[in-house]
Amino acid sequence: MSTAVQARWDHIAAELRCLVCQNESLASSNAELALDLRRELRGLIEQGQSDADIRRFLVSRYGDFVLYKPEVKPVTWLLWFGPFVLLLGALVLALRLMRRTPAESAPLTDSERARVRQLLES
Amino acid sequence: MSALSAKATSRRMPRWVFVPLALFLAMVVFLGVGLTRNPQEIPSPLIGRPAPAFELPLVGGPGVFNAAQFKGQLTLVNLWATWCAGCKEEHPILMALARQPGLNMVGINYKELQASELSGQEPLSAESVQKATARSQAWLQKNGQAFGVNLLDMDGRVGMDFGVYGLPETYLIDREGVVRFKHAGALTPDVVQQKLLPLLRGVY
């Protein structure tokens, strides 16, 4: 395997999930299916297919689940943008809370004023 | 004074206080639902799409089976192997399904010889094919001939096109050759009752 092919292969396989042992990448898994898929990947790279073509090949068989970084499309919008929407919401809420002017205190009545003065002087 | 204290009470609990609580509860619901789901059940992108085109040799017999033959009949494709425990477990269910009128049963023996036995030989030797054939025939003899058509996918290439990631896997292909249903893992009476039979009785 040439070093160029090897480099692309390493790069792509690290971004793909092994479906058998789901917490491992295709590059690190020793499951038989992962071995087969790695062989297949090497073939595709050697045929000169682009990264996008290779990803499409896998997604059409195993679904978006094989990608550690799923494509940005309507079904994955929540996944991609959800955290930012939450953060924005939190910021808006925080700003509104901070900007809220303290409720204006009602002016003291004469009797209250007298009582304050009495307390302060005592 | 009383007006003042009333105002203070109403200010003690502004409505926004409940926003984090609501968000928290929503998260609990989402995570709770997530826990009840089976992570092994990955939705197949094949559902609603034509079954992959392939051609495989018939086990033990001359000739090949072409995926074009799916057209015109309702087909249940089961990928299995003799080394797969779940396959043995579900086999009685497949035997029962084989009695369903109008259902074509296709068994694909997937990678009967695994990497350890093949040690990277390419192309596969006639000897390996013979070995796999003998094993799969003996297994079916013992456990029941559920399949009308028996195919051999030695290198697992067709399995890969079906998106197989764990044996056994079962696919229902309609008369147009479109995949309607997939189940990964052994079929259970529940899956057959709740998912497969309604599909069989329905539109097809």
Side-chain angles (χ1 to χ4, degrees):
Chain A
M1 204 183 338
S2 77
T3 45
V5 171
Q6 174 82 53
R8 276 193 63 202
W9 185 70
D10 284 346
H11 170 73
I12 297 173
E15 277 188 8
L16 298 168
R17 187 201 301 271
C18 170
L19 284 103
V20 181
C21 24
Q22 301 180 351
N23 288 328
E24 276 189 283
S25 76
L26 215 48
S28 62
S29 171
N30 279 318
E32 183 130 348
L33 178 68
L35 300 178
D36 286 353
L37 282 172
R38 284 210 293 266
R39 199 176 314 126
E40 194 69 26
L41 277 185
R42 199 169 64 203
L44 293 175
I45 293 170
E46 280 164 353
Q47 282 168 32
Q49 301 228 18
S50 72
D51 288 13
D53 285 340
I54 292 173
R55 275 191 208 103
R56 213 168 297 131
F57 171 88
L58 283 152
V59 169
S60 70
R61 283 162 181 74
Y62 303 101
D64 287 323
F65 192 72
V66 289
L67 303 176
Y68 274 122
K69 266 163 82 177
E71 254 177 273
V72 180
K73 56 184 181 184
V75 256
T76 60
W77 280 354
L78 191 63
L79 182 69
W80 277 103
F81 306 121
F84 298 106
V85 170
L86 272 183
L87 183 67
L88 198 73
L91 280 178
V92 167
L93 197 66
L95 271 179
R96 276 185 52 183
L97 288 182
M98 284 191 296
R99 240 197 255 145
R100 179 181 296 232
T101 44
E104 237 163 76
S105 40
L108 298 182
T109 60
D110 285 343
S111 61
E112 282 169 335
R113 209 177 290 273
R115 172 137 175 75
V116 168
R117 190 165 299 127
Q118 187 196 340
L119 280 171
L120 283 174
E121 284 167 2
S122 62
Chain B
M1 258 324 248
S2 64
L4 249 177
S5 65
K7 202 172 166 192
T9 348
S10 78
R11 269 190 47 208
R12 213 174 292 149
M13 278 296 199
R15 242 172 297 153
W16 58 262
V17 165
F18 297 104
V19 170
L21 184 68
L23 283 176
F24 173 74
L25 287 178
M27 211 170 74
V28 166
V29 169
F30 273 116
L31 294 179
V33 169
L35 279 177
T36 64
R37 293 177 56 176
N38 180 1
Q40 293 292 339
E41 257 172 42
I42 300 162
S44 172
L46 224 55
I47 305 290
R49 294 212 332 236
F54 69 84
E55 205 177 79
L56 280 178
L58 291 158
V59 172
V64 291
F65 179 90
N66 193 296
Q69 288 168 253
F70 284 145
K71 288 237 168 101
Q73 48 193 341
L74 195 54
T75 308
L76 196 75
V77 176
N78 181 257
L79 288 106
W80 68 283
T82 65
W83 45 262
C84 144
C87 299
K88 194 169 175 181
E89 195 184 303
E90 74 169 5
H91 207 69
I93 293 179
L94 290 172
M95 292 294 288
L97 282 169
R99 287 196 293 271
Q100 285 276 322
L103 185 61
N104 185 29
M105 303 285 289
V106 173
I108 300 181
N109 181 295
Y110 169 82
K111 297 195 74 167
E112 180 56 44
L113 307 186
Q114 297 210 278
S116 51
E117 286 177 89
L118 289 169
S119 58
Q121 46 166 299
E122 211 160 334
L124 294 155
S125 65
E127 207 181 311
S128 301
V129 175
Q130 238 165 38
K131 200 165 154 192
T133 302
R135 263 200 226 166
S136 90
Q137 279 175 337
W139 192 93
L140 288 168
Q141 207 96 68
K142 192 172 156 227
N143 294 286
Q145 306 281 356
F147 310 117
V149 177
N150 276 292
L151 307 172
L152 205 53
D153 183 17
M154 285 294 285
D155 57 6
R157 194 60 193 68
V158 169
M160 194 181 281
D161 283 342
F162 270 92
V164 165
Y165 58 88
L167 285 201
E169 291 200 2
T170 306
Y171 298 79
L172 182 68
I173 297 169
D174 73 10
R175 293 193 174 88
E176 311 297 317
V178 172
V179 179
R180 289 293 172 196
F181 165 85
K182 168 184 178 171
H183 181 75
L187 285 172
T188 61
D190 275 356
V191 171
V192 172
Q193 284 290 327
Q194 286 162 20
K195 294 182 182 159
L196 200 52
L197 287 182
L199 267 179
L200 289 176
R201 282 195 211 104
V203 249
Y204 313 110

